Amino acid sequence: MRNWLTFGGIDSRDYGVYISGTGVFDSPEREYDVINVPGRDGDVLGVGSRLANISVTYPCFIYANFRENLRNFVSALTAIKGYAELADTYYTGESRKAYFGGEVSVDPVGRLNAGQFELTFQCKPQRYLASGQQIITLTAAGSVTNPTPFDSQPRFEITGYGTISVNGEDITILNVYPSIVIDSEVMDCYYGTTNANEQVEMESNDFPLLNPGANTITFDSTITQVKILPRWFRV
């Protein structure tokens, strides 16, 4: 079976490009704030830690019309600005957020009818599950189960006003807009294109996360619907 990738809606098969998987199995590094205390053995870890971006390199193959297919494929990738969805057939049902900086390494080929090259993407550390891109709708209190060992950064779309509680942490929404989006990934609240951060009060001053396992969500009767984009991920 030949494997392939898609990036920003571009399918490598449309350019006769296929991949091998030797570059897709690396994991991101977790970066810590490391503090060296004089006179104390070992390092102390600070409160900050994060998963770093990762470079993902695909060995690629073109079996016909190498020169033309390579030029057209790289041009199409380079035309995409910023982060876009990257998926491949080695991790079916999962995708990354990546950008392409134009890094291509081409091996010498004969008459350029066929050949190979390496393609490198700069990726965010998460491999998002397709199931985490599906909206969960609640019209009454309920529980949402995170199937991964990582806290996810969801997006809530809340219709109505009042208090919603996520794992015991209260978020109060003022009676201003018909609905409000609370997006933990971008740390922003909005209604349409209108900034709505001043209409949302968070008990802990932190945007809500969905922890591994069961997450309890309750809300006032003045909130009629809660839509959740959970964004489950692995690394």
Side-chain angles (χ1 to χ4, degrees), residues 196 218 227:
T218 61
K227 290 185 176 181

Side-chain angles (χ1 to χ4, degrees), residues 93-161:
E94 301 178 5
S95 63
R96 295 184 183 273
K97 292 182 180 179
Y99 67 89
F100 178 65
E103 186 175 349
V104 178
S105 177
V106 181
D107 285 343
V109 291
R111 292 177 297 171
L112 298 182
N113 289 325
Q116 60 188 31
F117 61 99
E118 288 189 342
L119 199 64
T120 299
F121 293 89
Q122 302 302 321
C123 303
K124 290 193 175 183
Q126 301 93 339
R127 287 190 286 111
Y128 291 98
L129 278 61
S131 61
Q133 303 303 310
Q134 298 174 2
I135 299 292
I136 300 169
T137 301
L138 299 178
T139 55
S143 179
V144 174
T145 300
N146 180 347
T148 80
F150 298 97
D151 294 334
S152 76
Q153 298 174 309
R155 186 187 73 205
F156 288 83
E157 183 178 355
I158 301 165
T159 302
Y161 64 95

